[in-house]
């Protein structure tokens, strides 16, 4: 198996924040997950039990295959001149360790209508959208938004997004419960670090008035968001926001590593 390198100075912040640092195991081509937000609350038991049909609220995630390949000149191999390549396996291990972070970053930054169908949510809509249905099985259901345009990070805009988050309900109209500020993260690129800290950490505003947003979220500066320096996210981390599904750990394969080496499968992933 390929050694996954935990490199000093590199943290999988997105993976840890959005999936709880957890990979969900999968043993089949596709795996189904119940959509917990569609589960209603308890009811008084009068008469027969009422069974919710969870099969109506299921998200199916299909496994995909990824690879990283390198080649070595045959003369270097035959002449035993491989010292220059000694760091390659370690670097591939580092990339494999960061690979979940890469996938989550792609989904985050391609989750709006402008990106087409590259990052869809469990309800079939864009990950970030203005009209997610609260009840996926009901035509004309009430909706909620998790996408806000023209909202530069400011105290007023933070308050707007926080209020919208706290208004999201389950199918039965009860709040989902985004209530714990210690689980609420204001996730920003390095360019917005100072602004973010002033919004949720400073006890007073520049005017001298009390900062009512102080303590309403914890700032998380994510360096890998730096390519979109004005985009910020308000995230509840009390439950996973994304599911990272893993069927198997990365493996090191190639000529000379395995007596059952099959060139056709190695080149095209077919048998």
């Amino acid at each position: 198996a390929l050694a996954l390198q935990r490199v000093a100075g590199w943290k999988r912040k997105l993976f840890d924040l959005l999936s709880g640092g957890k990979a969900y195991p999968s043993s089949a081509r596709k795996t189904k997950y119940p959509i917990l937000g569609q589960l209603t609350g308890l009811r008084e038991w009068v008469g027969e039990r009422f069974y919710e049909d969870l099969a109506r609220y299921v998200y199916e995630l299909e496994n995909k295959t990824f690879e990283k390949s390198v080649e070595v000149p045959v003369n270097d191999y035959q002449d035993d001149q491989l010292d220059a390549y000694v760091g390659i396996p370690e670097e591939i291990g580092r990339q494999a360790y960061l690979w979940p972070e890469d996938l989550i970053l792609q989904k985050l930054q391609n989750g709006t209508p402008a990106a087409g169908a590259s990052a869809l949510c469990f309800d079939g809509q864009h990950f970030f959208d203005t009209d997610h249905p609260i009840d996926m099985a009901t035509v004309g259901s009430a909706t909620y938004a998790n996408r806000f345009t023209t909202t530069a990070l400011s105290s007023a805009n933070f308050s707007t997004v926080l209020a919208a988050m706290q208004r999201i309900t389950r199918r039965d109209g009860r709040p989902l419960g985004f209530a714990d500020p210690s689980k609420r993260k204001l996730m920003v690129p390095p360019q917005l670090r100072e602004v973010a800290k002033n919004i949720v950490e400073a006890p007073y505003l520049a005017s001298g008035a009390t900062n009512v947003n102080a303590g309403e979220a914890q700032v998380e500066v994510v360096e890998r968001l730096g390519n979109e320096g004005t985009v910020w996210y308000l995230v509840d981390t009390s439950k996973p926001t994304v599911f990272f599904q893993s069927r198997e750990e990365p493996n090191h394969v190639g000529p000379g590593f395995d007596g059952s080496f099959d060139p056709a499968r190695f080149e095209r992933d077919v048998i």
Side-chain angles (χ1 to χ4, degrees):
L2 187 67
L4 304 186
Q5 301 294 321
R6 297 177 179 267
V7 181
W10 281 93
K11 294 183 179 180
R12 300 192 297 190
K13 280 191 175 181
L14 293 174
F15 180 66
D16 292 339
L17 288 170
L18 301 183
S19 73
K22 178 180 180 181
Y24 292 81
S26 173
S27 58
R29 189 181 188 91
K30 299 179 180 180
T31 301
K32 295 181 177 181
Y33 298 94
I35 301 171
L36 301 183
Q38 296 292 311
L39 189 66
T40 58
L42 274 66
R43 59 183 286 273
E44 182 182 1
W45 189 354
V46 178
E48 297 292 328
R49 287 181 178 271
F50 174 76
Y51 294 94
E52 291 201 56
D53 183 8
L54 294 183
R56 300 175 66 191
Y57 309 102
V58 169
Y59 180 62
E60 187 173 66
L61 194 58
E62 182 175 359
N63 288 307
K64 296 182 179 180
T65 303
F66 293 79
E67 62 89 25
K68 177 65 178 179
S69 303
V70 296
E71 62 182 8
V72 176
V74 66
N75 287 339
D76 286 352
Y77 180 78
Q78 292 177 339
D79 296 344
D80 197 21
Q81 300 295 312
L82 299 179
D83 289 348
Y85 305 98
V86 69
I88 298 298
E90 181 178 342
E91 176 60 20
I92 294 177
R94 186 180 81 95
Q95 295 298 334
Y97 175 70
L98 295 174
W99 165 60
E101 193 87 341
D102 294 336
L103 293 182
I104 294 174
L105 181 65
Q106 291 172 17
K107 294 300 182 183
L108 277 183
Q109 296 189 337
N110 291 285
T112 64
S118 60
L120 299 181
C121 194
F122 56 81
D123 57 9
Q125 297 192 201
H126 303 284
F127 193 85
F128 297 107
D129 217 333
T130 57
D131 58 351
H132 288 288
I134 291 177
D135 186 346
M136 292 169 50
T138 301
V139 176
S141 165
T143 63
Y144 69 91
N146 68 341
R147 176 174 177 256
F148 301 85
T149 58
T150 65
T151 49
L153 184 54
S154 67
S155 183
N157 287 337
F158 173 85
S159 295
T160 297
V161 174
L162 175 59
M165 172 186 280
Q166 293 175 325
R167 287 196 302 268
I168 299 176
T169 66
R170 301 184 308 215
R171 290 189 300 118
D172 57 8
R174 299 178 186 177
L176 273 179
F178 300 121
D180 185 355
S182 70
K183 299 294 184 181
R184 196 180 298 138
K185 308 298 182 183
L186 178 53
M187 200 167 68
V188 299
Q191 297 94 318
L192 296 179
R193 181 189 68 84
E194 184 175 353
V195 176
K197 285 182 171 290
N198 283 334
I199 290 173
V200 297
E201 293 183 5
Y204 300 100
L205 302 176
S207 65
T210 299
N211 181 11
V212 297
N213 286 323
E216 286 292 346
Q218 317 299 311
V219 174
E220 289 286 349
V221 179
V222 181
E223 291 77 6
R224 303 193 82 186
L225 296 176
N227 64 321
E228 294 185 346
T230 61
V231 180
W232 55 280
Y233 305 84
L234 187 60
V235 184
D236 179 83
T237 60
S238 62
K239 54 184 70 68
T241 304
V242 299
F243 283 78
F244 180 79
Q245 180 172 287
S246 177
R247 185 166 186 176
E248 62 179 326
E249 290 286 343
N251 291 311
H252 195 179
V253 297
F257 289 96
D258 187 338
S260 61
F261 174 71
D262 183 344
R265 184 173 185 182
F266 180 76
E267 292 292 342
R268 302 188 307 275
D269 193 30
V270 295
I271 296 178

